[in-house]
Amino acid sequence: MGEDADTKNINNSFLPDYVTEADVISTVEFSHRGDLLATGDKGGRVSHEPDFDYLKSLEIEEKINKIRWIPQHNAARFLLSTNDKTIKLWKVPVLKPTDLMVEVSPRRIFANGHTYHVNSISVNSDCETYLSADDLRINLWHLDITDRCFNIVDIKPANMEDLTEVITAAEFHPQHCNLFIYSSSKGTLRLCDMRASALCDQHSKLFEEPEDPGNRSFFSEIVSSISDVRFSHSGRYLLTRDYLTVKVWDLNMERGPIETYQVHDYLRSKLCSLYENDCIFDKFECSWNGTDSVIMTGAYNNFFRMFDRETGRGVTLEAARETGKAHAVLRTRRVRAGGKRRKDQVTVDSLDFTKKILHMAWHPTDNIIAIAATNNLYIFQDKVSYDIQ
Amino acid sequence: MSEPTEGTKSIDETSTEEQQEMEDKVISPEKMEEAKLKARYPNLGAKPGGSDLLRKRLQKGQKYFDSGDYNMAKAKMKNKQLPAAMAEKTEITGDHIPTPNDLPQRKTSLVASKLAG
């Protein structure tokens, strides 16, 4: 099957170019032009790395769940960040070449919009509004108005004992300002059209893969919970991550994904202990490359996976400092389910489940990726991009 | 380009129960893991994704994090042994030193209550 075989189509000569310490990083995002990288951490600090200069905001708060850049209009840069409860708009001043440290200043605070924990924010293509999603509700805000928002999705049941699913992620369509998608803990996706009605409790489209009843187990629903959903840059496809797979969906086909990739199938025989230690609830993100031809997601043991959509092949890489040379080429890794351990292979039993790659970002146009590994940020770029510099 | 889901196969419905059970064990690692879990926790409810689990997830408390405490403690306690992962999920304020490894995503109560069924 060649699942973990090297593939020429994915340029696997990634070079670790820059590593910085930033405590536990909880979100990473490139700006739309790709010239800035923002990271948020569990200490609530929002930092930026223009050309790899490390900046720190002075304000300390709780864990940042998501960062999203506002598409740029003028010289000034703005971004939105959210922790569990509050969304903030920050201004990133224009950097002078001599700047090593810049103060990021909070410009607006969008408070009291959510009773439950905010998991997503997404800026609309109209550049004026954005959505924020918590476990049960999705709100629509205007970037200039902080004291009110519109509720556009509410799945809270009248009786909480009837609760069967929660919202896990939400995102606006990259081109159509009236459309957004949200994912659930039951593995479904709902596409909503704000032009159809003010309250989008009724979906325009429901994407759900039919379950094989012969396969149903205690763990089925938990592992089907979608932890992240992303529109492709083209706006034609969706990428979802659940505990064991990443899936590509066609917006025109609701009955199931068009592609399914196994991220770490060897964990199927470990589900009992992963449930006991809560790892089964880990929320991994996923990412498209700039041309929507390669997808990426994280795993355990500081491994992350890339899949080439054209060949269907996957590769496993490790976010780690290569000892010795400053610019070393990342080797591909292999995980062995059982049997005799061979050189360069890692057995499932020796995987470190505390080393999880949950957060990552792919540069919008170039082959540069940012990987958050606990309290380290790794930036990798492919050899072609590096040589051009 | 779709890849087949590994570890699953269709079950021959005309098999005897015994043969089916054997096939389950051979074919489905998830079912084996489920049996393991139920053997350890006999009181486990049949429906894992039910409202109890979800409601506890919604109510999970905020961990109050003070970066001043954190940075001071980090400077003081460079050599301290990290507590076992998931062993103690007490409130992380003041003197208890939160480290990156013990800023968990879920409370102990969620683990205990979900296993209690």
Side-chain angles (χ1 to χ4, degrees):
Chain A
M1 199 168 295
E3 168 78 11
D4 285 314
D6 292 349
T7 169
K8 300 280 187 290
N9 288 331
I10 299 173
N11 188 329
N12 59 359
S13 49
F14 279 92
L15 311 169
D17 201 51
Y18 185 81
V19 171
T20 187
E21 300 284 339
D23 290 320
V24 182
I25 297 170
S26 49
T27 184
V28 188
E29 184 81 347
F30 278 101
S31 61
H32 290 85
R33 276 200 338 234
D35 55 340
L36 295 178
L37 177 70
T39 62
D41 65 17
K42 286 199 170 183
R45 287 164 293 199
V46 177
S47 62
H48 305 91
E49 279 190 47
D51 300 324
F52 310 119
D53 285 322
Y54 184 62
L55 313 169
K56 274 190 185 156
S57 154
L58 297 183
E59 189 146 346
I60 307 297
E61 278 188 295
E62 294 170 87
K63 169 175 163 278
I64 305 289
N65 294 333
K66 283 280 156 25
I67 286 178
R68 292 288 181 263
W69 290 89
I70 315 287
Q72 191 179 2
H73 288 308
N74 47 35
R77 312 296 295 273
F78 292 91
L79 59 79
L80 276 179
S81 70
T82 185
N83 61 11
D84 276 347
K85 284 285 185 273
T86 304
I87 301 146
K88 285 193 177 180
L89 179 74
W90 304 80
K91 183 173 180 191
V92 184
V94 179
L95 290 139
K96 299 189 284 292
T98 51
D99 279 339
L100 290 177
M101 293 258 307
V102 178
E103 257 185 53
V104 182
S105 50
R107 280 306 165 94
R108 296 208 177 94
I109 297 174
F110 304 87
N112 303 316
H114 290 278
T115 308
Y116 303 99
H117 296 107
V118 179
N119 53 54
S120 309
I121 47 176
S122 179
V123 183
N124 198 326
S125 52
D126 67 9
C127 302
E128 290 183 344
T129 58
Y130 72 94
L131 64 77
S132 60
D134 66 30
D135 290 314
L136 295 178
R137 297 190 177 102
I138 302 180
N139 293 332
L140 182 71
W141 304 78
H142 192 284
L143 284 166
D144 295 337
I145 299 169
T146 57
D147 61 355
R148 58 186 178 276
C149 61
F150 288 103
N151 174 246
I152 52 178
V153 173
D154 188 338
I155 64 167
K156 183 176 178 183
N159 184 350
M160 283 298 267
E161 303 220 340
D162 298 332
L163 182 66
T164 55
E165 64 184 326
V166 295
I167 297 168
T168 52
E171 193 178 51
F172 268 122
H173 191 282
Q175 287 95 34
H176 302 301
C177 57
N178 54 311
L179 296 178
F180 65 92
I181 195 89
Y182 72 90
S183 58
S184 85
S185 53
K186 277 186 149 179
T188 63
L189 296 164
R190 285 176 176 83
L191 183 73
C192 298
D193 186 340
M194 295 193 295
R195 286 181 190 160
S197 69
L199 187 60
C200 296
D201 281 359
Q202 299 297 315
H203 51 262
S204 291
K205 290 193 181 185
L206 172 65
F207 299 82
E208 189 170 13
E209 184 169 21
E211 192 189 15
D212 178 0
N215 262 341
R216 180 153 186 85
S217 76
F218 177 86
F219 306 106
S220 297
E221 194 174 303
I222 301 174
V223 300
S224 72
S225 175
I226 293 175
S227 52
D228 195 16
V229 61
R230 304 279 180 131
F231 277 100
S232 62
H233 293 88
S234 64
R236 273 202 60 193
Y237 302 102
L238 292 161
L239 178 66
T240 58
R241 174 69 155 100
D242 51 63
Y243 191 61
L244 297 171
T245 72
V246 278
K247 294 179 169 143
V248 178
W249 306 70
D250 186 325
L251 231 60
N252 296 318
M253 196 174 95
E254 296 167 68
R255 66 175 183 272
I258 57 170
E259 295 157 32
T260 299
Y261 301 93
Q262 301 297 326
V263 179
H264 37 206
D265 197 54
Y266 44 80
L267 293 186
R268 274 182 214 274
S269 54
K270 296 282 172 199
L271 291 176
C272 178
S273 41
L274 293 169
Y275 180 84
E276 288 176 302
N277 64 19
D278 263 6
C279 281
I280 205 173
F281 299 103
D282 283 338
K283 294 181 208 165
F284 293 94
E285 290 175 4
C286 52
S287 191
W288 298 89
N289 73 340
T291 55
D292 300 333
S293 59
V294 180
I295 56 187
M296 171 171 76
T297 190
Y300 294 106
N301 211 64
N302 276 357
F303 288 165
F304 59 102
R305 299 271 274 149
M306 282 193 188
F307 299 96
D308 182 328
R309 294 183 60 211
E310 280 155 49
T311 63
R313 291 176 157 209
V315 71
T316 304
L317 300 164
E318 184 177 359
R321 279 176 227 249
E322 298 289 330
T323 55
K325 297 182 275 183
H327 297 122
V329 173
L330 280 182
R331 296 170 299 146
T332 57
R333 309 304 304 266
R334 284 168 207 248
V335 181
R336 189 166 179 79
K340 204 172 164 186
R341 180 179 169 269
R342 292 186 204 144
K343 193 189 160 196
D344 266 2
Q345 284 186 346
V346 180
T347 59
V348 178
D349 292 327
S350 66
L351 291 175
D352 188 345
F353 289 96
T354 63
K355 292 188 179 164
K356 21 194 141 197
I357 307 273
L358 301 174
H359 309 288
M360 51 187 16
W362 202 311
H363 191 280
T365 51
D366 300 343
N367 276 346
I368 303 172
I369 56 177
I371 307 280
T374 314
N375 57 348
N376 287 320
L377 177 69
Y378 292 88
I379 297 172
F380 299 109
Q381 58 189 73
D382 70 1
K383 205 166 178 308
V384 175
S385 297
Y386 182 76
D387 288 342
I388 282 172
Q389 275 184 357
Chain B
M1 187 171 297
S2 199
E3 290 197 338
T5 308
E6 291 181 4
T8 62
K9 292 186 179 69
S10 58
I11 295 170
D12 183 0
E13 296 194 52
T14 62
S15 300
T16 61
E17 240 181 65
E18 220 182 77
Q19 194 180 351
Q20 175 119 6
E21 203 181 288
M22 220 171 72
E23 281 179 339
D24 280 349
K25 287 194 167 125
V26 169
I27 287 164
S28 176
E30 294 102 319
K31 294 233 169 86
M32 282 178 69
E33 291 295 297
E34 178 174 2
K36 217 189 279 182
L37 191 69
K38 289 200 164 147
R40 286 186 203 175
Y41 307 101
N43 296 324
L44 200 57
K47 187 116 176 61
S51 67
D52 279 350
L53 186 69
L54 289 176
R55 275 187 292 163
K56 279 176 178 91
R57 174 182 165 160
L58 298 185
Q59 283 159 21
K60 69 177 173 169
Q62 299 266 31
K63 292 291 180 199
Y64 293 97
F65 181 88
D66 186 311
S67 69
D69 284 345
Y70 173 67
N71 284 314
M72 280 178 55
K74 210 163 64 160
K76 252 192 284 179
M77 314 273 288
K78 269 183 195 150
N79 298 321
K80 179 178 174 168
Q81 197 86 2
L82 286 176
M86 310 300 174
E88 277 266 82
K89 294 187 194 185
T90 53
E91 284 285 0
I92 298 178
T93 52
D95 285 342
H96 179 94
I97 293 89
T99 60
N101 284 349
D102 67 9
L103 284 170
Q105 291 178 337
R106 286 163 296 277
K107 277 174 103 142
T108 311
S109 60
L110 180 62
V111 175
S113 56
K114 90 193 169 205
L115 293 172

